[in-house]
Amino acid sequence: MTTAAQPEPRWIMAMRSILSTILALAALGQAGTAAAQTTGRWTVDQAYAVIDFQTRHDGRSVAQALERHLRRQGFRVVTRRQASGAPPRTPGRFTLADPAAPTGFGVEGPTTRAAAGWLRPVRTVVCNGAAWRAEVSPRQVGPVETRYTLCLFPYRDGARQGLQLDIYAAAVLHGDPETPIAPQSEAVSPEAFMRGAVQAVEQRIGQPGAWIEHRPANRDRPFFLDDDALSAGPH
């Protein structure tokens, strides 16, 4: 004689329903995370330089020379000039604002290592006190877009006067960070870009500049705590 199956108690049915809902939400969360990881924007490499030009040429003529050079190279260029009073005794210097930092500013170590490089949030360049600023980007955008920010800081200390040019380069990845990226050719590297900009200024003022800070691009070497433009100190 067979016994008819007893219906499950209501509390067990409720528990099954709750468990199913939790599993479904977890699956959606994993899917959303995976989608974000393949559609985000990261900085995968960075470089910068600070070049000093001791000259009596004003910032406007040097900025115009830089703008002509950048447009001849085929870049998209957006510039901003800022009127200022007497130049300070010490030139300003760019810093970086990190959206991942609790206060927006601060030195932060590398985040995640991926096939494309060390992944960092895209940071904002701050050039307080600059007489001229340019945002430079390629006209054709691929999976990796190298963006440049140039800032020109005038200074005068007695008979010593001049301009400092700060250049920051960031390789921004659009897409899956686990996809390996071919290295850039030397002709389009940040170092080539920086040398070209410096030569444009040197030709305008008729004398060489002095490279006082230079951090070359290196996708396998992230910005460490003592080697990061966020610190805004000499290196």
Side-chain angles (χ1 to χ4, degrees):
M1 178 177 178
T2 58
T3 304
Q6 298 295 319
E8 287 185 336
R10 290 186 177 180
W11 68 269
I12 294 180
M13 296 175 65
M15 289 296 294
R16 287 184 186 277
S17 176
I18 293 171
L19 181 59
S20 298
T21 302
I22 292 173
L23 292 174
L25 290 173
L28 286 172
Q30 291 176 352
T33 301
Q37 290 174 345
T38 58
T39 59
R41 292 167 61 249
W42 297 269
T43 297
V44 293
D45 199 5
Q46 300 171 90
Y48 73 91
V50 177
I51 307 95
D52 181 72
F53 302 95
Q54 292 195 27
T55 178
R56 293 186 178 276
H57 283 77
D58 64 6
R60 179 178 293 274
S61 65
V62 171
Q64 290 172 344
L66 281 166
E67 291 173 21
R68 287 193 298 269
H69 164 75
L70 293 169
R71 292 196 168 98
R72 280 198 303 267
Q73 302 302 310
F75 289 104
R76 181 181 290 109
V77 183
V78 178
T79 62
R80 184 170 71 237
R81 289 184 174 86
Q82 179 176 317
S84 58
R89 296 179 60 184
T90 303
R93 185 188 184 282
F94 84 103
T95 55
L96 299 175
D98 192 338
T103 61
F105 288 85
V107 178
E108 299 241 338
T111 53
T112 306
R113 185 69 168 95
W118 290 96
L119 306 182
R120 296 206 59 124
V122 177
R123 298 192 275 188
T124 301
V125 183
V126 180
C127 289
N128 292 331
W132 172 85
R133 172 181 178 137
E135 302 293 344
V136 183
S137 59
R139 292 191 178 276
Q140 294 183 347
V141 180
V144 178
E145 174 191 9
T146 302
R147 303 174 182 176
Y148 299 92
T149 300
L150 293 78
C151 298
L152 204 56
F153 295 95
Y155 66 90
R156 178 179 294 173
D157 185 6
R160 179 176 175 270
Q161 70 180 75
L163 300 161
Q164 279 194 3
L165 174 64
D166 293 12
I167 307 175
Y168 171 73
V172 178
L173 170 69
H174 304 267
D176 186 357
E178 294 304 332
T179 301
I181 300 171
Q184 287 182 313
S185 68
E186 173 60 23
V188 296
S189 68
E191 282 62 49
F193 176 94
M194 293 176 183
R195 286 195 302 269
V198 170
Q199 289 168 3
V201 178
E202 291 173 338
Q203 291 172 4
R204 177 66 185 88
I205 67 175
Q207 61 189 61
W211 294 65
I212 59 176
E213 294 185 44
H214 184 203
R215 196 278 194 187
N218 186 341
R219 196 168 293 160
D220 293 324
R221 175 176 169 255
F223 273 20
F224 289 108
L225 298 183
D226 60 349
D227 185 26
D228 194 333
L230 278 167
S231 63
H235 300 293

